[in-house]
Amino acid sequence: ADITRLYQRPLGEFTAARNALAKAAGAKGEAIRALEKPSVPAWAVNQLYWRERRLYDQLIRALERVRAAHAQVLGGKRLDLATLEARHGAAVKAAADAVRTLLLRSGDAATPSTMQAVVDTLQALPGGGAPGQLTRALAPISFGAFGALLKGAATSTAMAEVVTFVAPKPRQ
């Protein structure tokens, strides 16, 4: 519980709060002290999880639907992927807009490079550890990696797990 609260704090307070928590933990403090401070994009996506859970959950559900549909298509089934991909793109946009607002409220400039890393991370979710505790921005898996997986994947589920899509870049 203390660690989850640590990731909910303002980014500028992370290190001092982590060190105080580690000190209070005594012998178990080294593991806490080893927790990495999140990057700005990772922290911002964490805040989406903690403060805008409905949007975060909608994003994950949309992504799961797209991945499952692609697995079915790879298995020979005909589906309307465009509709599912559009819903996923809309979920990414809504989440990115919410993250931009969270960043601005926290005093961050929400620069184009930060927002690109945020969008990349949103597209690569879920991944990178426990939800709400990312430490680094994630990158969507490239189609080159997807092709390599297709050659050796044992199941369509394994193939679907690597499919991510690029949403339009946020408007500045």
Side-chain angles (χ1 to χ4, degrees), residues 8-9 26 29-30 47 60 62 69 71 74 79 84 97 127 150 165:
Q8 295 175 47
R9 299 179 71 96
E30 279 306 309
Q47 299 319 296
I60 298 302
L74 289 170
L79 295 172
L84 292 172
D97 290 346
L150 283 175
F165 299 92

Side-chain angles (χ1 to χ4, degrees), residues 68-78 156 159:
H70 274 272
Q72 291 176 356
V73 167
L74 289 170
K77 191 169 184 177
R78 292 182 156 230
S156 60
M159 288 184 280

Side-chain angles (χ1 to χ4, degrees), residues 16 95 101-102 118 158:
T101 299
L102 290 165
V118 164

Side-chain angles (χ1 to χ4, degrees), residues 93 96-97 99-101 103-104 108-120 167-172:
K93 183 182 179 331
D97 290 346
V99 167
R100 181 186 314 280
T101 299
L103 281 166
L104 293 173
D108 191 284
T111 65
S113 62
T114 296
M115 289 309 301
Q116 184 58 56
V118 164
V119 170
D120 288 347
K169 291 183 180 181
R171 291 187 180 134
Q172 304 303 325

Side-chain angles (χ1 to χ4, degrees), residues 14-97:
F14 183 89
T15 302
R18 178 199 60 206
N19 293 344
L21 186 60
K23 186 175 181 179
K28 297 179 183 179
E30 279 306 309
I32 295 169
R33 195 174 325 289
L35 294 174
E36 188 177 338
K37 180 180 178 179
S39 66
V40 172
W43 176 84
V45 173
N46 289 342
Q47 299 319 296
L48 179 73
Y49 177 81
W50 295 115
R51 301 184 194 306
E52 299 285 344
R53 182 68 64 85
R54 181 185 58 78
L55 283 174
Y56 181 91
D57 290 345
Q58 286 174 347
L59 173 66
I60 298 302
R61 279 193 305 276
L63 177 59
E64 288 170 348
R65 287 181 185 125
V66 166
R67 287 180 178 172
H70 274 272
Q72 291 176 356
V73 167
L74 289 170
K77 191 169 184 177
R78 292 182 156 230
L79 295 172
D80 178 16
L81 291 175
T83 300
L84 292 172
E85 289 174 1
R87 287 182 187 154
H88 176 249
V92 169
K93 183 182 179 331
D97 290 346

